[in-house]
Amino acid sequence: MQKRTLICGALIATLGVAGCATDEYGRSRPYTNAEAGAMIGVLGGAVAGAAINHKNRGKGALIGAIGGGLAGGLVGTYMDKQQKDLEKVLAPEVANGSITINKNSDNSLLVTMTSATAFDTNSYSLKGGFYPVMDKIAKVLNTYGKTELTITGHTDSVGSDAANQTLSERRAQAVVDYMLTRQVAQQRLAAYGRGKNQPIGDNKTEAGRAQNRRVEILIVPVVEQ
C-alpha cells in the first residue's frame, strides 16, 4: 500500500505540477485530453502499469512522463539523429578514447565512459572535471526524451567480489544522481552494477583492467504499444 501511495503521489506531481508532456524531441507541450485521462486512469488504480520492477520499470509512469512512445516507423531515424548529436558534442572525448558511442541492432545506443575519465580508483564520486561531459550527455538525453536509460557500472577483477559489486552499483547510481540534477526524468532512469562479471578487456593487464572499469549508458527507445 505504501508503494502504491508513493507511485500515485509521484504521478500526481507529474500531472499537476509539470502540467506538460514532451514531443518526440523532448520539447514541452501541454497534455492532450487523452493523455490527461490516461494519467488519471493510472492514478485511479492502474498499479500494474506503474509498479516498478527489474523487467518493467513502471511503463505507465514512464509513458506519462515522456508523453507517449515513438511510432515504430520513426524509431530508426530518431535514434540515428540522437547518435549523431552525441557524437558531435562528445567528439573530443570520442577522439581521445575516453568515451565510445555504439548503435545496436535493436536501435538502442550504448555510451561507454571509462573510470579513468569519470572516477578515481576505488571511488564512486564523479570527478569535478567530468561534469561538463555529463552536462553535454544530459542535454542530448533531454532533447531526445522518448527513451529509457539503463546506467550500468563495471569494475576490474582487483578486490573481492562483494567490494566490486558495491563499487559498480555506487558508480552507476552516481551517474543517475547527476542526471537527475540536470532534469533528466527519474522515470527514465535505472541503475545497476555488474561488478567484475562483464569484462571487455583482459584483467591480466593494466590496459585491460582500465577498459573494464567503466560505466555504460544504454539508451533504449520507448515505442508505442
Side-chain angles (χ1 to χ4, degrees), residues 100-153:
T100 62
I101 303 167
N102 294 295
K103 188 175 183 182
N104 300 317
S105 59
D106 61 357
N107 285 310
S108 65
L109 302 175
L110 184 65
V111 178
T112 302
M113 303 174 288
T114 67
S115 64
T117 301
F119 302 95
D120 287 322
T121 301
N122 293 325
S123 171
Y124 58 87
S125 296
L126 282 166
K127 293 180 180 179
F130 195 63
Y131 292 165
V133 178
M134 294 292 290
D135 289 345
K136 291 190 288 186
I137 294 173
K139 185 175 181 179
V140 175
L141 295 179
N142 281 330
T143 299
Y144 296 88
K146 294 187 181 296
T147 55
E148 54 185 326
L149 313 165
T150 298
I151 318 296
T152 305

Side-chain angles (χ1 to χ4, degrees), residues 180-201:
L180 290 172
T181 71
R182 293 301 178 262
Q183 289 73 53
V184 178
Q186 184 175 12
Q187 295 90 336
R188 298 173 62 197
L189 294 162
Y192 299 99
R194 296 291 180 256
K196 66 177 186 181
N197 297 316
Q198 295 180 354
I200 59 174

Side-chain angles (χ1 to χ4, degrees), residues 7 14 23 35 41 51 68 98 103 106 120 129 146 156 159 172 192 195 210:
I7 291 169
T14 300
D23 63 17
E35 289 168 350
S98 61
K103 188 175 183 182
D106 61 357
D120 287 322
K146 294 187 181 296
D156 60 28
Y192 299 99

Side-chain angles (χ1 to χ4, degrees), residues 20-219:
C20 62
T22 56
D23 63 17
E24 63 267 32
Y25 292 103
R27 296 183 292 259
S28 295
R29 62 169 176 77
Y31 281 115
T32 66
N33 289 337
E35 289 168 350
M39 290 289 288
I40 292 170
V42 170
L43 293 175
V47 177
I52 298 175
N53 58 49
H54 179 77
K55 294 183 179 179
N56 182 339
R57 70 183 62 168
K59 289 297 183 182
L62 174 61
I63 292 296
I66 67 173
L70 291 164
L74 299 178
V75 170
T77 299
Y78 186 84
M79 298 304 287
D80 282 343
K81 289 181 178 179
Q82 185 171 190
Q83 180 181 9
K84 289 178 181 178
D85 282 358
L86 284 168
E87 290 172 342
K88 180 177 180 180
V89 300
L90 297 172
E93 291 77 22
V94 171
N96 66 29
S98 61
I99 285 182
T100 62
I101 303 167
N102 294 295
K103 188 175 183 182
N104 300 317
S105 59
D106 61 357
N107 285 310
S108 65
L109 302 175
L110 184 65
V111 178
T112 302
M113 303 174 288
T114 67
S115 64
T117 301
F119 302 95
D120 287 322
T121 301
N122 293 325
S123 171
Y124 58 87
S125 296
L126 282 166
K127 293 180 180 179
F130 195 63
Y131 292 165
V133 178
M134 294 292 290
D135 289 345
K136 291 190 288 186
I137 294 173
K139 185 175 181 179
V140 175
L141 295 179
N142 281 330
T143 299
Y144 296 88
K146 294 187 181 296
T147 55
E148 54 185 326
L149 313 165
T150 298
I151 318 296
T152 305
H154 303 267
T155 70
D156 60 28
S157 62
V158 177
S160 70
D161 290 353
N164 281 325
Q165 180 61 33
T166 298
L167 180 61
S168 68
E169 292 171 1
R170 289 178 174 175
R171 283 181 170 176
Q173 189 61 49
V175 173
V176 167
D177 290 344
Y178 192 84
M179 290 296 175
L180 290 172
T181 71
R182 293 301 178 262
Q183 289 73 53
V184 178
Q186 184 175 12
Q187 295 90 336
R188 298 173 62 197
L189 294 162
Y192 299 99
R194 296 291 180 256
K196 66 177 186 181
N197 297 316
Q198 295 180 354
I200 59 174
D202 185 353
N203 274 310
K204 295 179 181 179
T205 68
E206 176 50 39
R209 289 191 294 271
Q211 286 182 293
N212 295 332
R213 299 190 296 265
R214 69 196 190 278
V215 172
E216 298 171 336
I217 304 176
L218 181 65
I219 308 169

